[in-house]
């Protein structure tokens, strides 16, 4: 069975740079895999297709071009390489959360830091198209931190 992907082929003028940077940031937020300059991939779903259609529209509005295609790698090794690269990228982000959660006691406001780490975790999971054990490790680190924050809070009078 071949896995379906959506592919965005786009071009944006170099100047002004603001639209090009905004597009790059959106694609990064979506977890897109950059195949080459101006060509990105996401696993096919109604949500990812819509996301790339929005970016294509942004490229056209910036004076460039953008087309969304359905695609499928013909070589299983290529599919596995792309999947692995995406998993490794998200895994590194999850590892940062784990490391920060383990050192949160060094922060002035651990509860505030917990909230920030939870927001980052949610952002990462939105672009984590191929979850691995690293997601669960980060989730568990946040649970442990939440327990520590609750234990450290002074008891409130009833």
């Amino acid at each position: 069975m071949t896995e379906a992907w959506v592919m965005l082929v786009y071009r944006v003028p170099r100047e002004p740079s603001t639209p090009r940077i905004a597009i790059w940031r959106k694609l990064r937020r979506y977890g897109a895999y950059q195949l080459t300059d101006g060509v990105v991939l996401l696993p096919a779903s109604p949500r990812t297709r819509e996301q790339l259609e929005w970016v294509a529209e942004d490229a056209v509005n910036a004076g460039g071009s953008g087309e969304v295609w359905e695609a499928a790698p013909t070589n299983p090794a290529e599919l596995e390489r792309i999947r692995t690269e995406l998993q490794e990228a998200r895994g590194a982000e999850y590892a940062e959360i784990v490391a920060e959660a383990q050192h949160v006691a060094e922060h002035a406001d651990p509860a505030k830091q917990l909230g920030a780490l939870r927001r980052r975790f949610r952002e990462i999971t939105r672009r984590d198209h191929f979850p691995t054990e690293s997601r669960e490790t980060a989730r568990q680190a946040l649970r442990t931190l939440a327990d520590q924050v609750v234990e450290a809070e002074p008891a409130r009078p009833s």
Side-chain angles (χ1 to χ4, degrees), residues 118-135:
R118 283 178 168 161
R119 282 188 297 281
R120 278 185 40 209
F121 180 80
R122 284 191 302 272
E123 290 169 5
I124 296 166
T125 59
R126 281 195 290 272
R127 64 179 175 266
D128 186 2
H129 303 290
F130 304 105
T132 63
E133 193 174 303
S134 59
R135 179 193 279 192

Side-chain angles (χ1 to χ4, degrees), residues 3-136:
E3 190 168 317
W5 292 72
V6 278
M7 177 174 63
L8 169 65
V9 179
Y10 70 100
R11 183 192 58 76
V12 181
R14 293 193 79 50
E15 294 298 329
S17 62
T18 305
R20 191 169 31 90
I21 292 167
I23 286 171
W24 177 81
R25 285 182 178 152
K26 272 187 185 179
L27 292 172
R28 187 167 181 257
R29 190 171 57 245
Y30 297 154
Y33 179 84
Q34 185 161 358
L35 195 58
T36 188
D37 286 342
V39 181
V40 296
L41 298 169
L42 281 172
S45 74
R47 181 177 63 105
T48 57
R49 184 172 292 107
E50 183 177 40
Q51 288 172 330
L52 291 187
E53 287 170 354
W54 290 336
V55 175
E57 188 176 312
D58 291 345
V60 169
N61 290 338
S65 62
E67 299 175 2
V68 177
W69 297 76
E70 289 195 17
T74 58
N75 180 343
E78 285 299 306
L79 173 63
E80 192 55 37
R81 180 184 61 79
I82 292 168
R83 179 189 293 264
T84 299
E85 286 183 33
L86 288 170
Q87 287 174 325
E88 287 173 354
R90 297 301 79 79
E93 291 177 301
Y94 288 130
E96 289 174 11
I97 286 180
V98 170
E100 287 184 41
Q102 292 169 344
H103 294 9
V104 83
E106 300 164 9
H107 291 275
D109 188 347
K112 184 176 180 181
Q113 185 64 15
L114 172 61
L117 289 174
R118 283 178 168 161
R119 282 188 297 281
R120 278 185 40 209
F121 180 80
R122 284 191 302 272
E123 290 169 5
I124 296 166
T125 59
R126 281 195 290 272
R127 64 179 175 266
D128 186 2
H129 303 290
F130 304 105
T132 63
E133 193 174 303
S134 59
R135 179 193 279 192
E136 264 320 299

Side-chain angles (χ1 to χ4, degrees), residues 109 111-112 149-158:
D109 188 347
K112 184 176 180 181
V149 167
V150 168
E151 289 172 9
E153 287 181 353
R156 295 186 180 158
S158 315

